[in-house]
Amino acid sequence: MLTMKDYELLNEVTKDNSTAEYVFRRFRDEHRFIATRTIHELRNWLACIRSSLQLLEDDCPETSDSNYMQYIKQDMMVVCDRLTEFERLYDCMEEELKKGNLLELIQSVVQEVNMEYEKQGVLLSVSYDKKSECYASECCFDELRMRQVMRKLLQEALNGFKPGNQIKVSLTISSEKSKKGKCIHVKVSDSGEFIHEEDIQNIFEPYYSTGEDNTGVGFSFMKITLLRHGGDVIANCDNEESYIEFYLPITA
């Protein structure tokens, strides 16, 4: 199985080598084809099971309220979600990079999820300085992929929250993380513990799960996406907060 080191090496090898990029794309497309066909067949079976359950409920209405039937439906929803995540892992290797405003994208995603956060009593804030605001429009990224990355980050922070926790999104300009010079640095931190210390080393490895309801695909998707954007992502925690931070190079 490919590790994150393998993905990092592939990214470096193919960056300035058209032949290696071509071979990698053929290899990726073949695996994507196999995965897509497999997922398609599994979804067909799930559709058959769902139809059978509906017929059973129509003929025997009393079964719809049984705990067993509810468990089956819940498990089917989980399987469907997992299949979608596996598709996403392959999709994250294909992106369309365009210059955009990263700050506006982040503010948009925060606004989308803020209502859910407020219902659960979580304080969500975004902070940035004038320099970050100025350079936020000088990054190249795939808007759909970056939206998915931000939503994943915020969802993970929300999953481990406790009443009174604060989730902060901050933007700064840094040259320490990137060999290419200036980059925009985004940090999502939680005053709780949405990342456990024992998970730090492996959290971005493909299929490494941090809980019973995880497939280990979401964080890998995030890492691969940012590598393909010329950036990176790390996770950490200390006595006061746990956080995930990523950077994108400034192209100006």
Side-chain angles (χ1 to χ4, degrees):
M1 184 179 71
L2 290 177
T3 66
M4 193 49 63
K5 285 293 183 182
D6 297 321
Y7 284 107
E8 291 174 352
L9 181 60
L10 279 172
N11 189 64
E12 287 298 320
V13 169
T14 59
K15 188 173 296 181
D16 299 311
N17 188 320
S18 58
T19 301
E21 174 70 12
Y22 171 77
V23 173
F24 171 68
R25 285 182 177 274
R26 290 292 300 273
F27 174 79
R28 181 206 61 203
D29 290 344
E30 180 179 354
H31 279 257
R32 177 187 289 171
F33 174 76
I34 295 172
T36 301
R37 289 296 299 273
T38 302
I39 291 170
H40 175 73
E41 294 301 324
L42 288 172
R43 281 182 170 152
N44 283 341
W45 279 105
L46 289 172
C48 290
I49 296 172
R50 189 179 292 111
S51 298
S52 299
L53 291 176
Q54 187 60 55
L55 288 173
L56 179 61
E57 289 183 325
D58 291 342
D59 292 339
C60 306
E62 65 276 9
T63 61
S64 61
D65 296 326
S66 68
N67 290 335
Y68 182 68
M69 185 66 76
Q70 297 303 318
Y71 289 145
I72 293 176
K73 290 181 178 180
Q74 184 176 356
D75 287 344
M76 288 184 63
M77 289 179 61
V78 170
V79 172
C80 287
D81 289 342
R82 298 301 174 258
L83 292 177
T84 300
E85 288 188 6
F86 284 122
E87 280 185 314
R88 185 185 300 171
L89 184 60
Y90 284 95
D91 287 342
C92 71
M93 296 185 184
E94 191 73 44
E95 63 281 310
E96 184 179 0
L97 304 185
K98 292 182 179 180
K99 186 170 285 190
N101 192 308
L102 186 62
L103 175 58
E104 289 182 359
L105 183 146
I106 290 173
Q107 289 174 324
S108 174
V109 175
V110 168
Q111 186 175 2
E112 291 172 6
V113 302
N114 201 36
M115 186 175 296
E116 180 183 356
Y117 276 61
E118 289 179 347
K119 288 180 181 178
Q120 302 192 44
V122 179
L123 301 176
L124 177 60
S125 63
V126 180
S127 63
Y128 55 90
D129 53 25
K130 288 291 184 181
K131 194 174 182 180
S132 302
E133 185 178 15
C134 178
Y135 279 107
S137 60
E138 300 298 336
C139 291
C140 285
F141 54 87
D142 184 298
E143 182 173 352
L144 174 61
R145 301 291 177 242
M146 289 308 300
R147 281 187 175 276
Q148 291 173 333
V149 166
M150 282 306 305
R151 289 190 70 89
K152 175 64 179 176
L153 282 173
L154 294 175
Q155 286 169 359
E156 288 298 326
L158 180 61
N159 286 340
F161 94 101
K162 295 179 181 179
N165 283 170
Q166 294 186 2
I167 298 173
K168 302 176 182 178
V169 181
S170 61
L171 280 75
T172 56
I173 300 299
S174 171
S175 58
E176 297 177 359
K177 301 291 184 180
S178 175
K179 298 177 182 179
K180 297 181 178 181
K182 286 183 180 178
C183 58
I184 192 158
H185 185 235
V186 181
K187 179 178 179 181
V188 177
S189 59
D190 185 347
S191 57
E193 191 181 34
F194 77 97
I195 305 172
H196 298 286
E197 188 173 356
E198 59 269 22
D199 295 324
I200 295 296
Q201 297 299 320
N202 300 307
I203 196 170
F204 296 111
E205 289 298 327
Y207 311 116
Y208 178 81
S209 176
T210 58
E212 295 180 0
D213 296 330
N214 294 326
T215 59
V217 173
F219 281 111
S220 300
F221 157 79
M222 188 188 307
K223 179 86 170 181
I224 296 170
T225 296
L226 288 162
L227 286 174
R228 298 289 290 176
H229 278 68
D232 205 352
V233 59
I234 63 171
N236 214 332
C237 63
D238 53 37
N239 294 331
E240 296 182 355
E241 63 180 10
S242 56
Y243 58 89
I244 293 180
E245 52 188 350
F246 70 85
Y247 70 85
L248 289 178
I250 293 171
T251 56

